[in-house]
Amino acid sequence: MIDIKKWLVEKVAEETGLNTEQISCDEDFNNFDMDSLSIVSIAADLESATNEEVDPTAFVEYNTINKFATWISQQK
Amino acid sequence: MDISTKVTWNPYSRGYFQDPYPHLKTCRENNPVHQGIHEAWMFFKHSDISKLLRHPNLGVSGLSEYLKEKEPYIFKNTETCPYLAQSTQWWPMYLNGNLHKKIRVALGKVFQALEWEPVILKAVERVNARYQSLNKFNLANYCADYIFMITSEIFGIDQYGTTAKIKEYSNLLARSQDLFVSKQFYQQINTSLLWGKQLFDRSAYREKIEAALKEQQLDYTSDHIYSLMTISLMATFETSKDNLCMALYEIIKRKHIIHLISESTPQQLNILIEELFRFTSPLQYTVREVQSPLNYNGISLPTQSKLYLCLASANRDPEVFDRPDEIIPDRQPNPHLSFGGGLHFCLGANVARLELRHCLQPMVQLLKDYTFDDHGESNVQWAKQIFMRNAQSILLKRNAL
Ligand code: HEM
């Protein structure tokens, strides 16, 4: 099992070019300086990492790292 | 109704890929024009869509331009040579104006001059000969093999690469147009596009295309030609096999239609074929972009707004089609929108019709001896594709004697 929150922080850092310390887990994904394809690409990576299907549109409703990680853990 | 309770289009809603129609019905009845999960405008009613397909303020949106803009992101930190934008640059469904007109005329002339009928007749025989001795098979492969036999002969590509690789290549081209495509997937499509460059080197079809472009006085490079080869292959292969597979799947479920097909006159068959196109709607959506500001039924749509026209929903609209969720073999008139409409109306509609006209009777003759394999019809594996709906696996087994 991967730590989804830590994993997401690293991914968002990678996509934005920021350090992991600069990534707030309560920030709306829309407020990060990411490409419009970033979220779909993160969702695809998460699918490979977890071997579970990930709905890329869930990032709209669960729009912060904290909300998304909580939601994913409740799916189990 | 309180706006907050209204449904929002979302292809990731539960069960959508297995059966999009319940969600589309809810959208059409509950919220027929709205901004979907991806913020573009969605249209679900036949009356709106048939009008918008021909609306003078609308054009198609540029796929190649979009990919060009995305390439720096997609290929960041990779050594790959970006080829997405270049190989899609002359796909007619994403071109407007004079360039579209010229390419459409050139492609249309070439399609029309090709000898489809003998190729189709031979393919029907070959595919049935290949499958008739099998006790179990995948319906999706059966349909893909039939259409592939036609496609590969028309384009003169069967001697190159493996069949499986070309099929995958074509599927990746189809999916390059879908929604929610990740950068990893675009990279995979790019690799496949680079691989496919050798496919058409000695294709006679390629020479015909070049001659038609010269006639239209269009200047071109080898990348433009490649772009036209890729779209020809993808357009001929993908939607035709998807339509056939979904149509046969529905027919196998309805024994009376098998019987009816066997007994049909050519004219009755043609009417049924249109009904099958309506019912399957292999291309489920098409996109339009606002070119000059537009006020549509009180909604103001600024330039560059994207409009998603759900052809699949229009084809099930009860305001136009009585008992829309049933296959009515003698439905007439049948103003379905499976081939789109307006300036971009499908250039291959008559080819798709011909393919069905010649294969339906011999195919049901073979399929009447098969049923769904033990896991039943509900266990079909549907592709996770939004725009081009298709089944990846529908297992059949021969009936016990
Ligand atoms: C059942 C099979 C098929 C279906 C449902 C289908 C559907 C469509 C639709 C809906 C469009 C319009 C897209 C838009 O609105 O922008 C279209 C365009 C097109 N189709 Fe098909 N198609 C099928 C088979 C074929 C075949 C067999 C060919 C080639 C022989 C073909 C070639 C094309 C081309 C070149 C265009 C672009 C036309 C333009 O933009 O001017 N299609 N098709």
Side-chain angles (χ1 to χ4, degrees), chain A residues 14-15 35-42 44-45 47 53-57 60, chain B residues 10-14 37 66 69-70 73-74 76 180-184 186 384:
Chain A
E14 198 180 303
E15 290 290 325
D35 191 275
S36 61
L37 284 180
S38 289
I39 287 293
V40 184
S41 305
I42 291 177
D45 270 342
E47 252 180 25
E53 289 200 356
V54 177
D55 163 5
T57 66
V60 177
Chain B
N10 183 349
Y12 288 88
S13 56
R14 194 174 293 277
I37 184 84
Y66 172 77
E69 187 194 310
K70 291 295 170 200
Y73 169 73
I74 296 168
K76 198 170 144 190
F180 306 111
V181 180
S182 66
K183 73 173 166 195
Q184 301 87 325
Y186 279 126
K384 272 183 97 175

Side-chain angles (χ1 to χ4, degrees), chain B residues 53 60 91-95 100 104 107 111 116 155 231-232 234-244 277 280-283 285-288 311 337-341 343-353 355-356:
Chain B
L53 281 169
V60 290
W91 288 14
M93 43 286 263
Y94 302 100
L95 296 175
H100 171 251
R104 187 171 165 94
L107 273 179
F111 284 162
W116 294 92
F155 299 120
I231 193 57
S232 303
M234 191 279 289
T236 311
F237 184 54
E238 293 295 319
T239 33
S240 283
K241 76 164 169 50
D242 300 343
N243 168 63
L244 178 63
F277 285 134
T280 66
S281 294
L283 186 67
Y285 299 85
T286 181
V287 185
R288 291 295 181 267
L311 304 173
L337 299 176
S338 290
F339 294 118
L343 292 177
H344 290 268
F345 183 82
C346 176
L347 269 175
N350 284 338
V351 172
R353 290 182 170 118
E355 286 167 342
L356 279 199

Side-chain angles (χ1 to χ4, degrees), chain A residues 5-66:
Chain A
K5 194 165 152 179
K6 183 161 167 276
W7 187 93
L8 277 173
V9 169
E10 280 165 10
K11 275 288 151 189
V12 173
E14 198 180 303
E15 290 290 325
T16 53
L18 298 172
N19 295 324
T20 49
E21 305 85 66
Q22 293 169 283
I23 307 293
S24 157
C25 293
D26 293 313
E27 190 65 61
D28 187 328
F29 289 118
N30 278 322
N31 295 340
F32 290 112
D33 183 19
M34 291 197 283
D35 191 275
S36 61
L37 284 180
S38 289
I39 287 293
V40 184
S41 305
I42 291 177
D45 270 342
L46 187 57
E47 252 180 25
S48 319
T50 58
N51 267 326
E52 301 271 351
E53 289 200 356
V54 177
D55 163 5
T57 66
F59 288 87
V60 177
E61 190 169 349
Y62 308 100
N63 62 344
T64 69
I65 292 176
N66 273 335

Side-chain angles (χ1 to χ4, degrees), chain B residues 68-80:
Chain B
K68 180 104 221 134
E69 187 194 310
K70 291 295 170 200
E71 277 176 352
Y73 169 73
I74 296 168
F75 300 106
K76 198 170 144 190
N77 302 332
T78 73
E79 305 274 298
T80 316

